Amino acid sequence: MTTKENPPENGLSYKQAGVDIEAGNALVEAIKPAVRSTRRAGADGEIGGFGGLFDLKAAGFSDPVLVAANDGVGTKLMVAIAAQDHSGVGIDLVAMCVNDLVVQGAEPLFFLDYLATGALDVTEGKEIVESIAEGCRQAGCALIGGETAEMPGMYQKNDYDLAGFAVGAVERDALMPRPDIAAADVLVAIASSGLHSNGFSLVRKLVELSGLKWDDPAPFDSGKTLGKALLAPTRIYVKPLLSALDAGLPLKGLVHITGGGFTDNIPRILPDNLGAHISLNKIGVPPVFGWLANLGGLSQSEMLRTFNCGVGMIAIVSAPGADELVTHLQAQGESAYLVGTLQPRTDQPVVYTGELSL
């Protein structure tokens, strides 16, 4: 008989407590090819050590400023878990970090991930890390390390959480936003791929009220299940935006449209005397947003502050260069268009005209 006073004859093991060290080692071996696929100048090491190395000199910088960002995927992971589809969550993780780097003019250099789970499933873990590696390839950064934590009791068996950490660099004289942002500068919208990774607590509530299951057909996207459609990975804007900067286009500022939408994010880079005027009728709103708005009876102001509504990034550019920027981004495969201007600020930092097409 086993009691507090009388432990089992052969003793307890870490595995019996819920932590499988062998599974962790197996995952490290399984993901090595994916990690190698993200190598770039400055990062040539193998994972498995105590830390990742990066050589800034080898990456070609002369007077760099380092820029760091970290983020997660939020409750979108609960949809991935319920739908048993983890193929895009790593792209989401990378995107939420590297898109925050490029808005400051920085080139993402390397990425580290943190995967916490109740019980490590090597196959699932490999799918997640391969997705992270795909995000790193899209961003041009190296996956140089990470951590997998198996924590039974902290998480339920099938639950997991993700966090990501990205570091980039920019030459000191190329930092953004530029100090010469001014009235009459133009706002260029760059389309999102869907919901990205914001607002999913509200999305899940609305899906619950709808009575739909994750494997039901998506009412707004024929040919896809509801889960697959909602899990469309966040778009990574790094390469087309760095290309525009390298081409010398007169970009003055970039805004990553995440939680808080246009209303909260645009003012973050504006001087106190300027406000943004946005023509909502110019925005190409993907059908998923109209479906959510109608399903929940959501007001336009609620939509604008919760979701990206079809715009994942906004570029601020001097008026003479606006058309050239749009043409350049379209040539890079982005959907880009003029959506507004900067004007002297009145009582609101963001002023809307027109209506969203919901």
Side-chain angles (χ1 to χ4, degrees), residues 105-163:
E107 174 189 348
L109 302 176
F110 60 86
F111 191 86
L112 299 100
D113 69 277
Y114 176 76
L115 167 62
T117 182
L120 183 59
D121 181 313
V122 174
T123 301
E124 181 181 283
K126 181 173 180 284
E127 183 180 14
I128 292 168
V129 177
E130 286 176 344
S131 178
I132 294 171
E134 171 58 25
C136 287
R137 289 192 294 271
Q138 290 183 23
C141 63
L143 179 58
I144 66 170
E147 173 70 9
T148 301
E150 195 172 19
M151 296 188 284
M154 179 71 75
Y155 297 92
Q156 296 300 312
K157 182 177 180 180
N158 295 323
D159 288 344
Y160 67 90
D161 197 9
L162 287 173

Side-chain angles (χ1 to χ4, degrees), residues 292-315:
L292 291 169
N294 293 322
L295 186 63
L298 304 179
S299 67
Q300 179 170 275
S301 61
E302 183 70 17
M303 293 295 295
L304 287 167
R305 197 166 190 181
T306 304
F307 300 112
N308 66 61
C309 295
V311 179
M313 189 76 71
I314 284 182

Side-chain angles (χ1 to χ4, degrees), residues 73-90:
V73 183
T75 61
K76 187 175 186 177
L77 290 179
M78 298 181 72
V79 179
I81 292 166
Q84 297 183 331
D85 182 355
H86 316 282
S87 60
V89 294

Side-chain angles (χ1 to χ4, degrees), residues 192-214:
S192 69
S193 54
L195 293 170
H196 287 185
S197 297
N198 298 107
F200 271 85
S201 294
L202 178 55
V203 170
R204 291 185 300 105
K205 181 66 175 177
L206 292 174
V207 171
E208 180 184 341
L209 292 173
S210 76
L212 292 172
K213 296 182 175 59
W214 300 116

